[in-house]
Amino acid sequence: MNEAVLVIEDEPKIARLLELELQYEGYQVGKAGSGTEGLEKYAEGQWDLILLDVMLPGLSGIEVLRRVRAKDAAVPIIMLTAKDSVEDKVSGLDLGANDYITKPFQIEELLARVRAALRLSAVASVASSASSSTSSAGNDSSGYKDEAEGWLTAAGLKLHEGTREVFRDGVPIELTPREFDLLVYLLQNQRQVLSRDQIVQAVWGYDYYGDTNVVDVYIRYVRKKVDNGFTPPLIHTVRGVGYVLKEQL
Ligand code: CA
């Protein structure tokens, strides 16, 4: 059962980025490019969460929020607000938004807020409907792994594509799905300098619509987990070109 997220956002690049990232995390995604379209889509579907931009042409995000809340007190709504608009945040929260995130946002933070809002809303709905539903026992189907096969390695770093385990000098490292894919790509192409475009195409897919800054952001995340506190550093910046994973520069 995939949770459904409605994204109401008029900037195509941001809407597309949100759509791809949310789909990648396993959500069903609907998009609307204006407040009016957002209300229509909202009425047509069953949504578990709404991501709602405040600055929309025509009907504003605040007005959309007001109208959705008039009918539905429960659906979690996260507002996307401009950085300095304290007024929007306050009126959004007053009108029943569950959370807000300021632009420009870091996608990982936004995804964490989405997970948190969905979790809270699931808890609330279980509490309000006295009956309980069964929860899945997890998806760990096999404990077996072949030590010799399936590992990508560099210095003290090892990563298993099948089990998705990552270790640096024997210390387990937790990566998000996107960070994991990025590290796989770097390891598969180690010692080759990779441009931001190459990385975006390989890790985000060729139809990725956002800009390549996302690569720098994710390199920073992965570097922090994989290189911080370990030697030698493995992920190197090649100024003006891109990135390379190797033991020695
Ligand atoms: Ca906007």
Side-chain angles (χ1 to χ4, degrees), residues 9-11 53-57 103:
E9 163 64 79
D10 60 309
E11 284 155 82
D53 187 31
V54 171
M55 296 289 285
L56 291 170
K103 291 178 170 181

Side-chain angles (χ1 to χ4, degrees), residues 5-249:
V5 178
L6 177 58
V7 176
I8 307 176
E9 163 64 79
D10 60 309
E11 284 155 82
K13 271 191 169 188
I14 297 178
R16 180 79 179 129
L17 169 73
L18 289 170
E19 178 182 43
L20 286 170
E21 293 289 343
L22 289 163
Q23 282 174 344
Y24 191 79
E25 299 291 318
Y27 302 111
Q28 288 177 44
V29 181
K31 275 193 306 185
S34 72
T36 316
E37 193 192 347
L39 283 174
E40 282 167 15
K41 285 246 166 93
Y42 166 74
E44 287 164 8
Q46 281 281 354
W47 304 102
D48 297 295
L49 184 137
I50 300 174
L51 276 176
L52 177 58
D53 187 31
V54 171
M55 296 289 285
L56 291 170
L59 209 58
S60 79
I62 294 290
E63 189 52 35
V64 172
L65 172 68
R66 198 196 307 272
R67 295 193 193 182
V68 170
R69 274 290 172 260
K71 294 185 212 135
D72 184 344
V75 64
I77 300 176
I78 300 177
M79 309 289 291
L80 302 172
T81 67
K83 199 169 163 222
D84 297 319
S85 179
V86 178
E87 208 178 302
D88 284 346
K89 289 171 202 167
V90 171
S91 52
L93 292 172
D94 278 350
L95 286 167
N98 299 70
D99 200 356
Y100 63 84
I101 191 151
T102 54
K103 291 178 170 181
F105 52 82
Q106 300 233 325
I107 191 71
E108 282 300 318
E109 190 195 351
L110 185 138
L111 293 171
R113 302 281 191 92
V114 166
R115 284 192 295 271
L118 285 169
R119 212 161 37 231
L120 277 174
S121 125
V123 168
S125 77
V126 167
S128 70
S129 72
S131 68
S132 68
S133 63
T134 56
S135 74
S136 119
N139 53 10
D140 198 356
S141 54
S142 155
Y144 175 77
K145 72 169 192 278
D146 186 339
E147 286 288 338
E149 282 188 17
W151 291 97
L152 293 167
T153 62
L157 177 67
K158 54 190 270 189
L159 172 152
H160 196 283
E161 284 190 89
T163 65
R164 301 182 80 85
E165 289 171 293
V166 183
F167 296 96
R168 181 83 198 254
D169 296 344
V171 179
I173 292 173
E174 293 281 333
L175 298 175
T176 66
R178 189 71 77 188
E179 293 167 352
F180 183 87
D181 289 351
L182 174 57
L183 188 56
V184 167
Y185 184 64
L186 293 173
L187 277 164
Q188 283 170 338
N189 296 282
Q190 54 187 287
R191 290 181 299 283
Q192 291 176 46
V193 178
L194 302 165
S195 71
R196 288 174 180 78
D197 282 330
Q198 280 177 300
I199 295 172
V200 159
Q201 303 226 338
V203 178
W204 277 263
Y206 76 96
D207 62 344
Y208 181 76
Y209 215 89
D211 66 67
T212 55
N213 287 340
V214 73
V215 173
D216 304 309
V217 171
Y218 273 82
I219 287 280
R220 207 154 60 227
Y221 294 156
V222 172
R223 211 176 231 164
K224 202 166 157 188
K225 293 179 178 179
V226 166
D227 274 345
N228 270 17
F230 300 102
T231 50
L234 292 171
I235 299 170
H236 306 276
T237 305
V238 182
R239 204 167 277 276
V241 187
Y243 297 98
V244 60
L245 187 151
K246 59 178 174 178
E247 294 177 34
Q248 303 291 331
L249 249 201

